[in-house]
């Protein structure tokens, strides 16, 4: 993994501002030994055997899905290396293997300029799971579960970028094999080249890419292929000393890692998921117990502020139904509190009372009352004429439509 080092130079003057210097290099792509021995998954209770099986299975899923998606080999190789790097930062118990395998492949396809849709990646992984479990092949239903799975893959891709610090460049040693064999004048031996290339692809399932340099891995693949095909290579001095500073012990260590991969029995995805789910369940129970032990006082204090602790309304249900039927009026017949009351001037109300009670009016009041009556009669006659005109126009349009 690309390392980021921060160095703060000593201050020359106390008034000057201190600053840091960040150096990002692609030469050192290895993880420190202390992180390789104590992984986050082991800290969560997962044994090394199960962790190794999950890593191998995740890389196999990425390789198979990349073939079905017709991606270049470099994209599949990048996805497997990113997958291995991520799980030295995070735990397999807390972060599901299959989701992050999808996210690694999707991210690698973008890095290597061969992007694929998230929907295609999810469908291919669904198909692979059905084939591995010997179940009938059925298409993935585009329901809410699919939407949730797609969102989880997108979030997993963002988390990979965050944990790796957006340093997703991978230096692949595939081309080095051909170059080294050309220097050794063995480029015409196509079987040797193909065998070394196959070992290189198989080494992606292991963690050798985070333990050793790409040059050492390329020399180890050539070394193992030459031993299998009984091809003699220069020994004094050792031929790999031209290409890598690693000694023969380190080269043989990579070879032994590949041979142990071939000797491992095939693991079952269902069994591995059961172990991970048990550990995940234990973590959830431990968190709940810890919250119960420390959350009694806080819950007791917050009971008075709970929305459910409010008293119910004292009004009976019959009155509520009556209010709803009468247009949100109170039980006593009062108007709605938000409804604006209509106010009249007291002089006008007294005049109307005197008119309708038959009391005698003054000459001014009589003249004003007569004026109101004439105005009201004109308004009524005008409205009647407009309504009759509208009916006449409507009848004319109907007759026109019938003709």
């Amino acid at each position: 993994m690309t390392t980021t080092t921060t160095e703060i130079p000593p201050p020359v003057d106390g008034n000057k501002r201190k600053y840091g210097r960040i150096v990002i290099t692609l030469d050192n792509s290895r993880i420190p030994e202390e992180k390789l021995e104590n992984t986050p998954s082991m800290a969560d209770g997962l044994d090394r055997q199960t962790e190794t099986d999950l890593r191998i299975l995740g890389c196999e899923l990425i390789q198979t899905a990349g073939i079905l998606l017709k991606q270049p080999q470099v994209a599949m190789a990048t996805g497997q290396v990113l997958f291995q790097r991520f799980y030295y930062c995070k735990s397999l118990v807390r972060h599901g293997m299959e989701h992050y395998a999808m996210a690694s492949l999707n991210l690698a396809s973008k890095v290597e300029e061969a992007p694929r849709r998230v929907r295609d990646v999810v469908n291919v992984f669904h198909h692979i799971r059905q084939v591995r479990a010997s179940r009938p092949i059925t298409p993935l239903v585009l329901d809410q579960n699919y939407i949730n799975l797609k969102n989880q893959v997108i979030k997993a891709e963002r988390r990979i970028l965050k944990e790796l610090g957006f340093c997703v460049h991978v230096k692949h040693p595939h081309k080095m094999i051909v170059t080294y064999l050309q220097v050794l004048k063995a480029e015409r031996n196509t079987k040797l080249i193909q065998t070394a290339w196959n070992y290189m692809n198989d080494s992606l399932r292991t963690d050798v890419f985070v333990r050793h340099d790409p040059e050492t891995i390329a020399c180890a693949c050539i070394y193992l292929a030459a031993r299998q095909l009984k091809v003699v290579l220069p020994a004094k001095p050792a031929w790999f000393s031209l290409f890598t500073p690693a000694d023969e012990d380190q080269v043989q260590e990579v070879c032994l890692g590949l041979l142990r991969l071939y000797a491992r029995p095939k693991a079952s995805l269902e069994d591995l998921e059961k172990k991970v789910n048990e550990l995940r369940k234990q973590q959830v129970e431990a968190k709940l117990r810890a919250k119960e032990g420390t959350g009694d006082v806080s819950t007791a204090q917050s009971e008075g502020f709970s929305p459910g602790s409010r008293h119910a309304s004292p009004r009976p249900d019959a009155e509520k139904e009556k209010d709803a039927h009468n247009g949100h009026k109170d039980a006593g017949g009062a108007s709605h509190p938000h409804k604006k009351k209509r106010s009249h001037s007291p002089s006008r109300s007294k005049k109307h009372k005197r008119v309708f009670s038959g009391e005698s009016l003054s000459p001014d009041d009589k003249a004003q009352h007569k004026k109101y009556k004439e105005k009201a009669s004109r308004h009524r006659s005008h409205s009647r004429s407009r309504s009759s005109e509208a009916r006449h126009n409507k009848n004319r349009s109907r007759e026109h439509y019938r003709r």
Side-chain angles (χ1 to χ4, degrees), residues 281-321:
K281 185 177 179 181
Q282 293 175 5
Q283 285 187 353
V284 172
E285 292 176 353
K287 285 183 179 179
L288 291 176
R289 286 196 298 269
K291 286 183 178 180
E292 288 175 358
T294 59
D296 294 338
V297 179
S298 61
T299 53
Q301 291 177 353
S302 62
E303 282 180 359
F305 300 97
S306 174
S309 62
R310 293 183 300 179
H311 297 289
S313 175
R315 298 171 62 192
D317 297 337
E319 291 185 2
K320 293 180 182 179
E321 294 179 0

Side-chain angles (χ1 to χ4, degrees), residues 119-308:
R119 175 178 178 177
D120 296 337
V121 176
V122 172
N123 285 331
V124 165
F125 271 82
H126 176 72
H127 175 78
I128 294 171
R129 176 179 277 271
Q130 289 179 337
V131 172
R132 291 179 69 93
S134 301
R135 292 184 300 198
I137 307 300
T138 56
L140 185 62
V141 181
L142 303 181
D143 55 357
Q144 188 62 38
N145 294 328
Y146 162 77
I147 296 173
N148 296 336
L149 178 59
K150 184 178 177 181
N151 292 334
Q152 288 175 358
V153 173
I154 295 172
K155 291 179 181 178
E157 182 182 353
R158 295 174 183 171
R159 183 173 289 275
I160 291 174
L161 286 171
K162 176 190 172 186
E163 295 300 328
L164 299 183
F166 287 83
C167 297
V168 293
H169 177 78
V170 180
K171 187 178 180 181
H172 296 292
H174 291 74
K175 294 181 180 180
M176 299 178 188
I177 294 176
V178 181
T179 305
Y180 293 170
L181 290 176
Q182 286 176 352
V183 174
L184 297 171
K185 296 182 180 180
E187 70 275 6
R188 294 185 179 181
N189 192 343
T190 56
K191 192 172 183 181
L192 177 63
I193 296 176
Q194 186 63 51
T195 306
W197 195 279
N198 294 339
Y199 282 134
M200 179 65 64
N201 291 333
D202 293 340
S203 66
L204 293 166
R205 302 179 190 178
T206 66
D207 58 352
V208 296
F209 280 85
V210 297
R211 291 179 178 269
H212 303 279
D213 295 327
E215 293 81 8
T216 306
I217 300 170
C219 291
C221 293
I222 296 174
Y223 183 91
L224 193 59
R227 292 289 295 270
Q228 182 185 0
L229 300 176
K230 298 180 180 180
V231 176
V232 180
L233 295 175
K236 292 182 180 180
W239 60 270
F240 48 81
S241 61
L242 297 172
F243 313 116
T244 177
D247 55 5
E248 189 172 2
D249 293 337
Q250 292 178 346
V251 173
Q252 289 181 355
E253 183 182 350
V254 178
C255 297
L256 289 174
L258 278 170
L259 294 177
R260 283 194 292 267
L261 173 66
Y262 298 139
R264 293 182 71 88
K266 188 175 181 179
S268 174
L269 179 58
E270 286 75 14
D271 297 339
L272 297 175
E273 286 181 343
K274 285 180 182 178
K275 293 181 180 180
V276 174
N277 290 333
E278 288 176 1
L279 290 174
R280 199 172 292 162
K281 185 177 179 181
Q282 293 175 5
Q283 285 187 353
V284 172
E285 292 176 353
K287 285 183 179 179
L288 291 176
R289 286 196 298 269
K291 286 183 178 180
E292 288 175 358
T294 59
D296 294 338
V297 179
S298 61
T299 53
Q301 291 177 353
S302 62
E303 282 180 359
F305 300 97
S306 174

